[in-house]
Amino acid sequence: MRYAFALATFLLAFGLVAQEKSILQNIDVFELEWVTNPQISPDGKYIVYQRRGHDIMTDRATSKLWIMNVDGSAHRKLTDRDKNESNPTWSPNGNKLAFTSSGKQGSEIFIYDFEYNNVQEISALPSSPGSLSWSPNGDEIAFSMFVPAKAPQLVSPPAKPSGAQWADPVRVTTRLKYEADGRGYIPDGFNHYYIIPADGGTARKLTDGDFNFSGAPVWTKDGSALIFTTNLNEEWDYDFRNSEIYKLDLASGNITALTDRNGPDRGVTLSPDGKTLLYTGYDDRVQTYQITKVYQMNVDGSGKKEIKLDLDRSVSSLAWAADGKGFYFMYDDRGNTRIDYYELKSGKTTEVAKNVGGTSIGRPYGGGSYSIANNGTIVYTSCTPYRPADVSKVVKGGKPSQLTDLNKDFLDYRNLGKVEEVWYRSSFDNREVQGWIITPPNFDPNKKYPLLVENHGGPISNYGDRFSMELQLFAADGYVVFYPNPRGSTSYGEEFGNLLYHNYPGNDYDDVMSGVDALIEKGYIDQDQLYVTGGSAGGIMTAWMIGKNNRFRSAAVVKPVMNWISKTLMADNYYGYANSRFPGQPWENIEAYMGFSPISLVGNIQTPTLVMVGMEDRRTPPSEAKQLYGALKIRKIPTALVELPGAYHGIANRPSQLIAKVDNILAWFRKYR
């Protein structure tokens, strides 16, 4: 009897221990799953979405299509294919779904037929298709595809003897934009529009010329034309901030410009009656940040007018209501992504959903998407600070409901840091600044903790109350993590976002340091245990901060810009900084460019500094990071250079790289705790 009682006590104790939540570990990166691109069927009965995750054997992100009923039941994988699948697009009557996936020759277009419950590969294309768009009658699908062009040559090399092994031929470049981060060197050629029958057949090319036609085109209601956004100006590559909306007549091939102004026009969507177009854009005033507004015009381009939303925020992702009486849109407000509805007749805006996003995974950036059925039901990617994106839905006039919980089996058993919103005043001008903190698991406000500052990139971007694997791993190592939205961040209006105009880095430094001081005043931060990091623009800010003060015990500067002159002339977007970020070109205003370069402060740095960069980074080239490393080595300041092979600017794009990024930062900080 005593033995039985002891055994029962042991089993009970074991069960309690087994249910204890463990601290988040780096290997947990491979357990994460999240939702992207949820698409509800036109009749509102079914939802298809991309289920994303990480494959620990291939060290790659995966994407498979899953389907469920609109109430969340019958949740299952759509096909039995073991290939990545993306771009789910419902046919107008909802009986078929087009998507892209690996086929016999490469990426192809597939059709899932719900009547017969089978999937067919309908294309045999030389390049990967994208931007799928069904015709109104469901007979055809328009798409965009890259078409190679002959590379330029300055000379014709001599013929080499048979069997001779010569060096690869030279590569000649004459384009303004010739490389892109994440892609590397861009092959010569352009994207063009095609149409393919929905039951398979030959793809017909619709566009020509040395222009790029990409982004999902919109069919006119009668199926006679496509409406799309691009730039067909003669010097379109130098006119890179501009775009117009065009109409392509399918019978004649004629293209007509529907807009004509200096500024981007994009995001076009057609009203249910086929008469009216909504689109976004702005008149370019050449500044660091401008909010995107909503415009309306007739389908022939006449009757243009701005729709006054009384909202000092950039809007995106326009979608008409099925009755044509209003439209939905998405925007960021104070670090939170929202969906609202605007009624055209009354001019009234109604909140539909908040907490959209959760697709960034690594850090708490915005993002996410939504789609609408004909009955008004909306599905979207929803998130919390403790969960990446799931599928949620909202019926017009109702409250949102979450349909999936992809990480319940994993995150329910992890002790995550608590996320809290903080507001404080900047020491520069007493302006209110928003930020967030993550406290370590089992946080005790009566104890002292080290503070880790994480500066966001952009700088025209924002962090928010969204899930972040990287920041949760920092908190799991015992830090209070602080991530602010200083001036220049989006989601606080145009004036706030444009405060960096010809002044970056500038008083955003004061905003961040004021946040550090505000947290120290709370009593649970050890002011002698301050650490700072950030990537891209966050790397710039980190380097700037340690050049301005010696308050941090150590720093991790990730993929920074150290010298705006070299950056501006070497990065994949080298041509885009003059005037909007700094006055004039670098050779016209050397003092201004160098005055805002962190390399100008490197002689002040006393902080032990880790420098990290992806070896294939085209946005902030490795030479920028190496300038900081070299300067610190010459000055005998403790430093280390961490280079990630194969990594572009998205340095943590592969799960093992995310782990390496976090682990190396934490290891460096531990040296100085």
Side-chain angles (χ1 to χ4, degrees):
M1 187 72 176
R2 252 181 275 170
Y3 172 78
F5 177 78
L7 178 61
T9 303
F10 169 78
L11 290 175
L12 177 61
F14 178 81
L16 290 174
V17 170
Q19 294 303 310
E20 277 188 9
K21 294 185 177 183
S22 60
I23 302 298
L24 200 66
Q25 303 292 321
N26 55 11
I27 199 67
D28 289 337
V29 168
F30 287 100
E31 301 296 333
L32 286 173
E33 292 187 282
W34 66 99
V35 170
T36 60
N37 201 10
Q39 296 292 319
I40 190 167
S41 60
D43 61 9
K45 293 182 178 179
Y46 305 102
I47 302 165
V48 171
Y49 70 91
Q50 291 177 225
R51 186 166 180 162
R52 309 296 305 276
H54 290 139
D55 187 329
I56 198 169
M57 300 306 294
T58 63
D59 191 29
R60 297 283 185 182
T62 60
S63 174
K64 304 295 172 61
L65 295 183
W66 282 61
I67 188 171
M68 69 179 85
N69 296 334
V70 75
D71 62 359
S73 63
H75 188 202
R76 63 201 185 276
K77 193 174 181 300
L78 178 67
T79 74
D80 59 2
R81 306 178 72 254
D82 191 24
K83 303 285 185 180
N84 282 339
E85 302 160 332
S86 57
N87 300 311
T89 311
W90 290 97
S91 64
N93 63 8
N95 65 350
K96 294 180 181 179
L97 184 88
F99 63 94
T100 57
S101 183
S102 298
K104 297 172 183 175
Q105 299 180 184
S107 182
E108 302 290 354
I109 300 173
F110 290 77
I111 300 291
Y112 189 94
D113 191 317
F114 287 88
E115 182 178 357
Y116 299 103
N117 289 321
N118 66 3
V119 60
Q120 295 292 330
E121 181 178 345
I122 67 164
S123 67
L125 303 171
S127 299
S128 298
S131 305
L132 309 184
S133 180
W134 286 85
S135 63
N137 61 12
D139 289 345
E140 296 176 301
I141 298 173
F143 63 96
S144 177
M145 184 174 67
F146 180 76
V147 179
K150 186 177 180 181
Q153 275 187 306
L154 299 181
V155 298
S156 296
K160 62 182 180 181
S162 177
Q165 296 183 355
W166 289 13
D168 291 337
V170 301
R171 186 174 71 187
V172 178
T173 299
T174 60
R175 295 164 290 166
L176 178 71
K177 186 174 181 64
Y178 58 92
E179 61 181 357
D181 190 72
R183 293 177 61 189
Y185 189 82
I186 303 172
D188 288 272
F190 298 90
N191 277 75
H192 285 282
Y193 285 132
Y194 288 77
I195 286 180
I196 190 170
D199 56 1
T202 301
R204 178 166 64 96
K205 191 166 179 279
L206 301 177
T207 56
D208 289 295
D210 293 346
F211 304 98
N212 278 308
F213 298 84
S214 56
V218 175
W219 292 77
T220 55
K221 192 173 179 64
D222 61 4
S224 66
L226 296 178
I227 299 169
F228 56 91
T229 298
T230 191
N231 187 336
L232 300 182
N233 296 340
E234 185 175 345
E235 290 194 330
W236 58 267
D237 49 348
Y238 287 89
D239 193 24
F240 54 87
R241 288 193 182 91
N242 192 28
S243 62
E244 308 296 348
I245 297 172
Y246 297 89
K247 186 176 182 180
L248 167 64
D249 182 79
L250 296 178
S252 66
N254 292 333
I255 295 177
T256 305
L258 302 182
T259 61
D260 181 17
R261 67 168 168 182
N262 183 28
D265 292 314
R266 55 201 173 202
V268 64
T269 182
L270 181 68
S271 62
D273 63 8
K275 297 179 180 179
T276 308
L277 294 169
L278 290 176
Y279 59 102
T280 62
Y282 56 80
D283 294 293
D284 190 4
R285 303 192 300 278
V286 189
Q287 57 190 47
T288 299
Y289 176 64
Q290 294 178 229
I291 65 167
T292 302
K293 302 176 181 180
V294 181
Y295 298 86
Q296 174 182 317
M297 65 179 168
N298 298 324
V299 74
D300 62 0
S302 63
K304 295 181 183 68
K305 66 177 182 179
E306 180 188 344
I307 296 178
K308 304 285 188 178
L309 295 180
D310 191 27
L311 179 69
D312 185 23
R313 302 288 186 270
S314 280
V315 301
S316 64
S317 305
L318 305 180
W320 284 91
D323 58 12
K325 294 181 179 180
F327 61 90
Y328 298 86
F329 60 96
M330 211 162 73
Y331 65 101
D332 286 356
D333 180 53
R334 299 186 175 193
N336 190 281
T337 307
R338 303 167 50 128
I339 302 170
D340 280 10
Y341 173 75
Y342 180 84
E343 187 178 59
L344 289 167
K345 185 176 181 180
S346 67
K348 180 182 178 183
T349 300
T350 306
E351 178 186 304
V352 175
K354 296 189 293 187
N355 304 315
V356 182
T359 57
S360 180
I361 303 303
R363 290 177 288 165
Y365 286 118
S369 62
Y370 72 99
S371 67
I372 306 175
N374 293 333
N375 63 6
T377 301
I378 296 176
V379 296
Y380 62 98
T381 53
S382 65
C383 69
T384 75
Y386 311 104
R387 288 286 196 276
D390 275 296
V391 178
S392 285
K393 75 168 182 179
V394 59
V395 179
K396 190 174 181 179
K399 294 182 178 180
S401 59
Q402 186 174 314
L403 300 179
T404 64
D405 192 354
L406 299 187
N407 293 282
K408 181 178 177 60
D409 58 341
F410 154 50
L411 289 178
D412 272 4
Y413 303 98
R414 297 295 184 273
N415 191 359
L416 299 180
K418 183 181 178 182
V419 178
E420 298 179 26
E421 179 185 30
V422 294
W423 285 88
Y424 58 92
R425 297 280 180 176
S426 172
S427 62
F428 174 70
D429 56 6
N430 207 38
R431 186 183 297 268
E432 273 201 313
V433 179
Q434 186 184 27
W436 287 264
I437 61 170
I438 305 178
T439 52
N442 307 314
F443 172 73
D444 182 351
N446 296 312
K447 295 181 178 180
K448 296 281 188 179
Y449 292 86
L451 179 68
L452 190 158
V453 181
E454 161 69 31
N455 294 301
H456 75 63
I460 308 302
S461 185
N462 68 79
Y463 276 164
D465 52 348
R466 311 169 181 117
F467 179 80
S468 168
M469 190 66 175
E470 292 184 31
L471 303 196
Q472 284 287 349
L473 284 170
F474 289 155
D477 205 53
Y479 296 88
V480 172
V481 182
F482 171 50
Y483 54 105
N485 278 340
R487 66 193 62 209
S489 300
T490 55
S491 77
Y492 303 92
E494 183 168 289
E495 188 263 347
F496 189 86
N498 199 45
L499 287 172
L500 299 185
Y501 182 55
H502 294 177
N503 186 31
Y504 173 70
N507 302 117
D508 45 337
Y509 163 80
D510 302 289
D511 296 350
V512 177
M513 293 308 302
S514 296
V516 172
D517 292 333
L519 290 175
I520 290 173
E521 290 177 4
K522 291 181 178 293
Y524 51 74
I525 298 299
D526 183 347
Q527 62 182 340
D528 295 324
Q529 293 285 335
L530 306 180
Y531 305 83
V532 61
T533 187
S536 193
I540 299 169
M541 177 53 63
T542 302
W544 193 259
M545 288 167 65
I546 59 176
K548 288 279 191 177
N549 71 69
N550 296 318
R551 295 177 61 184
F552 295 91
R553 292 189 68 85
S554 64
V557 177
V558 182
K559 52 185 181 184
V561 171
M562 292 302 298
N563 182 333
W564 281 110
I565 296 175
S566 56
K567 144 72 177 181
T568 303
L569 295 176
M570 288 185 63
D572 66 336
N573 59 350
Y574 67 99
Y575 48 81
Y577 286 88
N579 300 316
S580 65
R581 189 65 61 82
F582 302 110
Q585 295 288 355
W587 54 90
E588 298 169 337
N589 202 343
I590 292 175
E591 293 81 6
Y593 276 76
M594 187 53 66
F596 289 110
S597 296
I599 199 70
S600 66
L601 302 177
V602 77
N604 302 333
I605 296 176
Q606 300 296 324
T607 307
T609 302
L610 179 77
V611 185
M612 184 183 296
V613 69
M615 295 175 71
E616 301 299 325
D617 194 328
R618 262 42 173 210
R619 186 60 46 85
T620 54
S623 57
E624 293 296 313
K626 290 178 179 180
Q627 288 181 56
L628 175 59
Y629 174 73
L632 295 179
K633 288 302 293 183
I634 290 171
R635 294 192 54 241
K636 298 182 180 179
I637 303 299
T639 185
L641 176 65
V642 176
E643 299 176 279
L644 278 71
Y648 287 99
H649 193 63
I651 197 169
N653 188 49
R654 299 180 69 173
S656 69
Q657 292 170 337
L658 189 154
I659 292 171
K661 176 188 176 185
V662 171
D663 283 359
N664 278 275
I665 291 172
L666 290 176
W668 183 259
F669 288 172
R670 286 189 202 110
K671 284 172 63 73
Y672 300 95
R673 275 181 68 166

